[in-house]
Amino acid sequence: TLKKVYSHLYPNLHSFDVTFPDSYEKALEVCVLEDRYGSTGSRASRSAFFNAFWAKSDGNISLYNETDLTARPGVIRYFVKHNCIFDGRSYEHWFAYCNWFHAAPDEIKGMFGKPVEVWCKDLFEQFGPSSFIPVLRIFSKFVHAEFTHRSKKLIVVVPRTKFSSI
């Protein structure tokens, strides 16, 4: 699965002699560019919930030229530090292993108005290459609340955006 992620990140990878080591380092929390990301198994589990323009509903990675490219919410299970070796150099990558929330029915998805969205709480998209997202591709974190609607467990997603001081 990671090979498919690397081929998405490096489209010309097939033209190099590439080595994918079997070993990796696992972590429950990481700090990247002054942002702390947690996972469901860490004390910082609130920061495990994020949005990204990365996943499709079939488990594959979205392409940036697709017309239906939208940010999807996910939850981080843990982090993986992995190296791949090509062109005579080792390249280190931090990936978040995550589950992507399954879309709620259209009639309730936008029941609270934009930018708030409703997603299924306990249903996730199928496993695939999009289950590994480079940490730098995470768009934003979100605040969530859980509720039940017509016996379906749902999650309300409220994006948190960063404001830079100029």
Side-chain angles (χ1 to χ4, degrees):
T1 303
L2 274 178
K3 288 180 184 179
K4 290 182 181 178
V5 177
Y6 281 121
S7 67
H8 178 81
L9 296 173
Y10 304 103
N12 298 325
L13 197 61
H14 63 277
S15 61
F16 294 101
D17 181 25
V18 183
T19 304
F20 296 102
D22 291 334
S23 61
Y24 61 90
E25 186 176 323
K26 187 175 173 181
L28 296 177
E29 294 181 25
V30 297
C31 274
V32 177
L33 301 175
E34 299 179 13
D35 274 331
R36 173 176 238 90
Y37 295 98
S39 64
T40 55
S42 72
R43 291 187 335 184
S45 61
R46 288 188 308 170
S47 63
F49 296 87
F50 71 97
N51 283 312
F53 297 92
W54 184 255
K56 291 194 221 177
S57 60
D58 64 358
N60 288 310
I61 299 170
S62 294
L63 302 174
Y64 288 113
N65 59 357
E66 293 179 2
T67 57
D68 63 343
L69 186 64
T70 58
R72 297 182 63 91
V75 60
I76 300 168
R77 300 300 178 197
Y78 56 86
F79 297 92
V80 172
K81 178 179 155 185
H82 188 261
N83 293 324
C84 72
I85 303 163
F86 63 92
D87 198 23
R89 295 182 57 200
S90 176
Y91 295 89
E92 179 181 283
H93 297 82
W94 275 101
F95 296 103
Y97 173 70
C98 63
N99 292 119
W100 298 96
F101 290 102
H102 187 72
D106 288 337
E107 62 270 9
I108 60 174
K109 185 171 185 168
M111 69 190 302
F112 296 109
K114 290 278 184 187
V116 178
E117 291 184 337
V118 176
W119 294 77
C120 294
K121 178 190 176 292
D122 295 328
L123 293 175
F124 299 104
E125 301 298 352
Q126 72 183 49
F127 174 82
S130 67
S131 297
F132 292 93
I133 178 173
V135 174
L136 290 175
R137 294 281 178 109
I138 293 174
F139 179 67
S140 68
K141 298 175 190 173
F142 67 82
V143 178
H144 70 282
E146 300 170 7
F147 73 105
T148 304
H149 178 73
R150 296 186 183 154
S151 73
K152 289 185 180 180
K153 291 184 179 182
L154 302 169
I155 185 170
V156 177
V157 173
V158 183
R160 289 181 7 196
T161 56
K162 287 197 252 182
F163 297 98
S164 62
S165 56
I166 298 176

